[in-house]
Amino acid sequence: MPFDDEDPVPASASAPAATAAAAQGGDEAPSLEDALADEMQDFRLFASLFKKNQASGKTLRRGEKDFESHGTRAQEGALEASRGAMHDVLSYTRSHKPKDHVRAWYLPDKWADAPDAEERQGEKGAGLFARQRVVAVENEIRGPLGQTTGRVVTGIEGYKHTPGWLNTWLLPEEALYLVERGSLDLWWPARGIEDIFPVNSEGSNGKGPAGEGPEKAFEDYELGIPLSFQAAYALLIGRDGERGKVSLEKYQVYANLRRTGYKIMRATVMPLPPPDPDRSPPQAIWQWLLSLLLPARNPQAVNHRRHSPPPPCGPLVKPGLYRSYDAVFEQLALVPRHKPSPHPTTPPPPTSEPFDVHFHVWRSSTAFSKTRPPAPDFRVAVADARASCVPTLEQLTALLERRTPWDPPSPGRKEGAGVGPMYQRLKHAWRNVVVAVVDRGLVSYVRFGEMAFAEERLEKMMDSERLSSAWGENRPSGANQRRRKKAQR
């Protein structure tokens, strides 16, 4: 697990570990190259990083491991030194820099009565989730963290010019992630919100003479007390459906994606397109008469011939001479083909937990506003491996057709021929979703998509390859052509 990657660490934290190692006369701390080549975590190497002024970007390295105890003093000394270093690392008290200190307050009742109609805001459906925001930030969150974290809840009738209405409010997973990485100081209020965020006569938050924040009518510890990391977990982690809380599995997925550099926000309900029955385009009278005279050009007749029941006995492919693979594969098509459509012919079944889209995810290079985000790069559903099973076909159909948009492959991939473009089309799919499976803290990502295997007509590809190879064999070479021209002259 990575230690705090931004807080300064004192140089005295490594003194007990170094003293214990010297007193035991044991092994020296392994080098960085040796530690990276082994498998187990070595806290002695991590404790050696305390000698520096900063430990930015450093994590627990891997060290040596003995598979059995051989009772030597060297082994006992190394084990005792590692235990001491681990104790020093875990007992280190993290602190906030004065210039980067951001304080927030746990105020779960501010937006408890907000109407559900205000959960959606903006033309692109950026989720506001006002009733779920329970943490208010005193100052703005600076840096890249503030680009996709928190929202200023405005526009709700009855809440304008009230205490805290112009502050940034955080969702439970956002607040807990900032507390976990040491970027937020969460406090429990001892007084009301009107004392913490006073409102002046103009309707905005009260400012001091120099505009340095809320008026200091009370001392810090008269307004509330700081919360520990364990208390933040107890307040913000809960069951699905509890207002102002997030499940442990969803938070683990959220934190994992944020640590890997992705931008993530809660998903909003996507409007479902109305069912569109599959109707053939209107035909003119001469086209209808021509289809009766030439049934081979009638698409309904071709469809019936493709999906006609096989003969009760005998071979599926009728004996005869075939000059293309298309006629052979048409007789082998026993199951009707699935063709993806942007408008389902029948209404899909309703979605059921846990197979529902919970998060929208963007790549780190995507820049956007929190109120008007673009279409997400990934849609993620979170499932607990111990409380759920493999999704059924009905669950996947509801998840794909109700919660994911129509996203066919690009025209370049769609028109490409050959095995490579075919694999790219199948991998992209016409609709796709990512299911994050959480198994006791271990997150695995599985991608599901609505593919069109039957739309990839392999028989036509084989016919084209056969014709091209036959043309290449019969085509005279360049030397033979020159000889023929000379002979004709």
Side-chain angles (χ1 to χ4, degrees), residues 40-256:
M40 294 301 295
Q41 295 174 351
D42 193 345
F43 283 87
R44 293 177 299 167
L45 179 62
F46 188 69
S48 65
L49 299 174
F50 284 11
K51 298 179 181 179
K52 302 179 180 180
N53 295 330
Q54 294 286 340
S56 177
K58 302 298 183 181
T59 57
L60 294 181
R61 302 300 182 183
R62 300 185 181 273
E64 298 178 356
K65 174 184 177 181
D66 292 334
F67 291 93
E68 59 182 358
S69 175
H70 45 72
T72 60
R73 293 183 178 179
Q75 188 184 52
E76 294 178 0
L79 182 60
E80 188 64 26
S82 296
R83 288 174 179 171
M86 180 178 64
H87 180 269
D88 296 334
V89 169
L90 297 180
S91 61
Y92 165 65
T93 302
R94 294 184 288 185
S95 60
H96 298 271
K97 299 178 182 179
K99 62 177 182 179
D100 297 333
H101 178 254
V102 178
R103 184 169 64 171
W105 297 86
Y106 180 72
L107 302 168
D109 299 330
K110 170 63 178 178
W111 309 104
D113 299 329
D116 294 336
E118 300 294 340
E119 291 298 319
R120 295 176 59 86
Q121 180 176 331
E123 298 178 357
K124 296 192 176 182
L128 185 60
F129 301 103
R131 300 182 70 250
Q132 303 295 330
R133 300 186 181 274
V134 295
V135 176
V137 183
E138 282 190 358
N139 303 318
E140 292 294 331
I141 302 176
R142 301 177 182 178
L145 288 176
Q147 296 179 359
T148 57
T149 304
R151 289 283 298 275
V152 178
V153 183
T154 58
I156 300 181
E157 295 295 334
Y159 287 89
K160 293 184 178 180
H161 308 293
T162 58
W165 75 291
L166 291 179
N167 290 81
T168 301
W169 289 80
L170 304 177
L171 292 170
E173 62 268 18
E174 297 173 343
L176 190 56
Y177 174 73
L178 294 179
V179 172
E180 189 177 26
R181 74 185 307 274
S183 301
L184 187 71
D185 189 11
L186 185 61
W187 282 54
W188 176 272
R191 294 183 176 270
I193 188 176
E194 62 277 358
D195 296 330
I196 299 175
F197 301 110
V199 180
N200 57 21
S201 58
E202 298 179 358
S204 60
N205 292 341
K207 300 291 182 180
E212 296 178 353
E215 295 179 352
K216 298 292 184 179
F218 301 93
E219 297 292 335
D220 286 343
Y221 286 94
E222 292 179 353
L223 293 175
I225 56 175
L227 293 174
S228 63
F229 185 48
Q230 293 82 356
Y233 256 89
L235 291 174
L236 301 176
I237 295 295
R239 298 180 179 179
D240 290 330
E242 292 187 66
R243 190 187 64 83
K245 295 182 182 293
V246 63
S247 64
L248 182 60
E249 291 77 19
K250 292 180 182 178
Y251 171 71
Q252 289 172 342
V253 173
Y254 177 88
N256 178 261

Side-chain angles (χ1 to χ4, degrees), residues 406-424:
W406 175 253
D407 185 21
S410 60
R413 292 179 179 178
K414 191 174 181 180
E415 297 175 359
V419 178
M422 179 187 68
Y423 286 155
Q424 292 179 2

Side-chain angles (χ1 to χ4, degrees), residues 306 322-333 337 457-460 462-463 466:
R306 280 183 180 173
Y322 297 95
R323 299 186 179 277
S324 66
Y325 290 98
D326 194 7
V328 177
F329 276 79
E330 283 184 3
Q331 301 181 48
L332 294 176
R337 295 187 176 101
R457 306 301 297 273
L458 297 179
E459 62 272 17
K460 294 185 178 181
M462 296 165 62
D463 287 336
R466 182 179 57 85

